[in-house]
Amino acid sequence: MKFLFATLLFLSASTVFADEPRVIDVRRNITLSDSDKIYKDFYINAGSDHFKKGQTLTASRKLNVRDSSGSTNIGEISVPIGELKIIAVYDKVTVARLVKLLDREELPMIEQSGVMTGDLVDLKK
């Protein structure tokens, strides 16, 4: 019985944490003057088998929706955050640069603005 439970737990965890392309690191340059351009780069855990240089990606964040008491999970939604453009592709890693953050006027609010580690990426649709 314990073996069956452990196996089911492992299978459900592997489904949840599948190898979906996601942001694994965020880096930005340090400017020395106000006129220097600020770049923000996002390192993604997928390489040349998924992406090509010059493609545009949409970064999105999965949010769990709960009732007001916080005890009942209603479901999960994927909220678009911003657009990224791929600037470099390697075997297992892709580097994308922030193009723009999406306006929140017609999109759900998010607690932390901007693309961050853990956000999922997909080709812009």
Side-chain angles (χ1 to χ4, degrees):
M1 185 68 166
K2 287 182 182 180
F3 175 77
L4 178 62
F5 179 74
T7 304
L8 289 174
L9 185 62
F10 173 78
L11 290 175
S12 65
S14 63
T15 303
V16 172
F17 298 109
D19 289 331
E20 296 176 280
R22 68 180 63 240
V23 176
I24 56 169
D25 194 12
V26 180
R27 298 183 186 181
R28 70 179 288 265
N29 64 324
I30 298 172
T31 60
L32 300 176
S33 73
D34 292 337
S35 61
D36 288 347
K37 189 163 182 163
I38 298 172
Y39 294 107
K40 210 167 188 185
D41 290 347
F42 301 89
Y43 290 73
I44 301 164
N45 67 339
S48 57
D49 54 338
H50 283 85
F51 302 118
K52 291 182 175 31
K53 184 176 179 179
Q55 288 179 312
T56 303
L57 307 174
T58 299
S60 61
R61 188 168 305 145
K62 288 187 179 181
L63 299 176
N64 285 320
V65 179
R66 297 184 165 276
D67 67 351
S68 60
S69 69
S71 62
T72 304
N73 187 13
I74 305 299
E76 187 175 77
I77 61 173
S78 180
V79 179
I81 306 295
E83 292 180 7
L84 308 173
K85 184 172 183 178
I86 296 175
I87 61 170
V89 179
Y90 302 95
D91 287 339
K92 296 182 180 182
V93 175
T94 296
V95 182
R97 186 158 288 158
L98 182 64
V99 174
K100 71 176 184 177
L101 292 175
L102 300 176
D103 185 23
R104 295 285 109 199
E105 189 168 325
E106 294 189 21
L107 292 170
M109 294 301 299
I110 51 177
E111 289 181 13
Q112 178 66 38
S113 63
V115 180
M116 57 192 266
T117 302
D119 287 347
L120 299 173
V121 292
D122 199 4
L123 291 176
K124 184 178 175 191
K125 296 179 173 138

